[in-house]
Structures are given as structure tokens and as C-alpha cells.
Amino acid sequence: MTITDRLNATKTALARAAVDSNRDPKDITLICVTKTFSAEEIAPLLEAGHRIFGENRVQEASGKWSGLRAHYSNIELHLIGPLQSNKTREAVETFDVIQSLDREKLASAIAEEMSRSKRYPKLFVQINTGAEPQKAGALPQEADNFIKICQEIYKLKIEGLMCVPPVNEQAAPHFALLAEIARRNNLAQLSMGMSSDFEVAIQLGATFVRVGSKIMGQRDYLT
């Protein structure tokens, strides 16, 4: 199976999951996660017409996507990994969507950089639904207040929420929790679901799913 075969199979599975959940497949956006993969490995997906991609690291993304953007138009790049405050300028410059806003210091840095650069990537608040100490994200019990701080103090437009459930737990309760927090805060977008559980995420309201290995194959984390 080629990488484009896997892309098409994933799109078919996404559409089937949407229909099974009485949803329009057009309401769900597939983000192909290309962290650790080279520009040459990504190019076949661009040739096939896919334009929405996710990366975890600012520096890696900046390096490879500047060249790809020179050859392909209408790319939409999402930052889905943790963002250090000192990388804010490069992140705002590189990404069209930042999904990992999770603390006030970062909200302040993003607001300042947007004002300086006049570039306004869309923003998602990341929620640490499993309250995992090693994982980024605002805690669920702090989410409402943090979203309010972002909106009212820093005047940031929050598009939606993102989560990464614990690997050793059922994903569905975490997706349901994220959807409930979004409902309380009148946020329409939900980024949840990855290669192993995006169908469940679609059932529970995902509008963005982040699929990596199912399309790209296994990663070499030594690089």
C-alpha cells in the first residue's frame, strides 16, 4: 500500500464514520500528522491534493514547510505539540493554527506576537483531560476560567478545544469531557481522535481528527 493509498483509505473510513454518526463528512477535517517525516516523504500527499497537516515541533516544521510552501499553495499547518513561550514568534510565523494553547504565560506571548506581526493563526485550547502530570494542557477543572482569561484579558479568539487522551485508557470518556467543556463555552470546534480512535472521536463530535501513523506509517523516533 502506498502512502496515497493509505490517505485515501483513511478518508474513506472518516466518511463512513461520519455517515454512521449521522454527520456530514464535510464537517470533519482530516489533519495528516507528519512529525519526523521529511519534505520528500510528505510530497506525495501534496501531489494527491491533501493540504492540511500537523506538526509537533516548531523548529522542525519551520525548516521543512518553508520549502514545501514555495512549491504548493493553500497549505494549512497546525501545531499540535507543546509550545514553549520562547518559540512563540516562530510558531505564529510558521503555523496557521495553534492547537496547544494551555497556560496564561503562553496566551500573553501569543497575543503580544500577534499584535506585533499582524499575523493571526487560529487558536485551540489544549485540555489535559486525563490530568497527566507529564502532559501539556489546561486541567479540566481550570478550563472554563482559562478560556475566559484568553478571551477577556488577552482578547484572543478561541476556535475550539484539543485533547490527547491517556494511552492506557478508553478514549471515549475523554472525548465526551472535551465536548462538554466546549459546549459550556460555546466553542464549535473539537480537535480529537488519532489513528487508533478517530472513528470514536467522530461519534462524539470531533470536527478535526489528527491521523499520523495510519497514513504515514511507523515513525523513526531516533531521528
Side-chain angles (χ1 to χ4, degrees):
M1 227 180 179
T2 67
I3 194 169
T4 50
D5 289 336
R6 294 195 295 268
L7 172 66
N8 291 332
T10 301
K11 288 181 174 179
T12 298
L14 184 156
R16 185 168 53 245
V19 170
D20 289 347
S21 301
N22 296 313
R23 298 184 61 195
D24 187 339
K26 292 178 182 177
D27 293 337
I28 303 154
T29 299
L30 173 62
I31 302 170
C32 181
V33 180
T34 49
K35 63 181 181 181
T36 78
F37 288 96
S38 68
E40 291 74 19
E41 291 171 302
I42 296 166
L45 299 175
L46 289 157
E47 290 291 336
H50 194 72
R51 288 294 183 271
I52 303 170
F53 296 87
E55 291 281 346
N56 276 47
R57 296 177 180 173
V58 175
Q59 193 166 4
E60 177 192 346
S62 177
K64 68 188 179 189
W65 283 99
S66 57
L68 289 168
R69 285 185 191 273
H71 289 91
Y72 300 96
S73 61
N74 302 318
I75 290 170
E76 181 177 290
L77 196 58
H78 293 240
L79 177 61
I80 59 174
L83 176 57
Q84 297 174 349
S85 299
N86 63 0
K87 299 282 188 182
T88 301
R89 177 169 293 193
E90 193 174 5
V92 169
E93 180 182 283
T94 302
F95 291 93
D96 305 291
V97 184
I98 295 173
Q99 294 200 11
S100 45
L101 173 56
D102 65 350
R103 60 198 185 280
E104 187 171 354
K105 182 180 180 182
L106 183 57
S108 175
I110 288 174
E112 183 178 341
E113 181 55 28
M114 285 181 165
S115 177
R116 186 201 69 80
S117 67
K118 301 296 185 278
R119 180 171 162 79
Y120 302 96
K122 294 179 179 178
L123 300 174
F124 284 59
V125 168
Q126 181 174 353
I127 307 298
N128 185 350
T129 56
E132 296 174 275
Q134 81 283 8
K135 191 173 285 183
L139 293 173
Q141 64 269 28
E142 299 171 358
D144 294 352
N145 187 54
F146 178 61
I147 292 165
K148 186 176 181 180
I149 286 170
C150 289
Q151 294 170 329
E152 296 185 2
I153 296 179
Y154 298 102
K155 309 302 181 187
L156 296 174
K157 180 172 173 21
I158 304 301
E159 301 285 335
L161 304 179
M162 183 267 266
C163 76
V164 182
V167 295
N168 59 345
E169 295 183 17
Q170 290 292 316
H174 295 273
F175 297 155
L177 173 59
L178 196 74
E180 174 55 31
I181 296 170
R183 276 193 293 272
R184 287 203 305 262
N185 290 278
N186 298 310
L187 298 174
Q189 305 299 328
L190 289 169
S191 174
M192 57 190 197
M194 297 184 286
S195 288
S196 63
D197 54 23
F198 70 86
E199 292 97 341
V200 175
I202 289 169
Q203 291 172 13
L204 291 165
T207 57
F208 290 83
V209 295
R210 312 181 304 272
V211 178
S213 59
K214 196 174 185 69
I215 296 171
M216 302 302 299
Q218 294 304 309
R219 292 179 169 81
D220 180 1
Y221 284 102
L222 297 178
T223 59

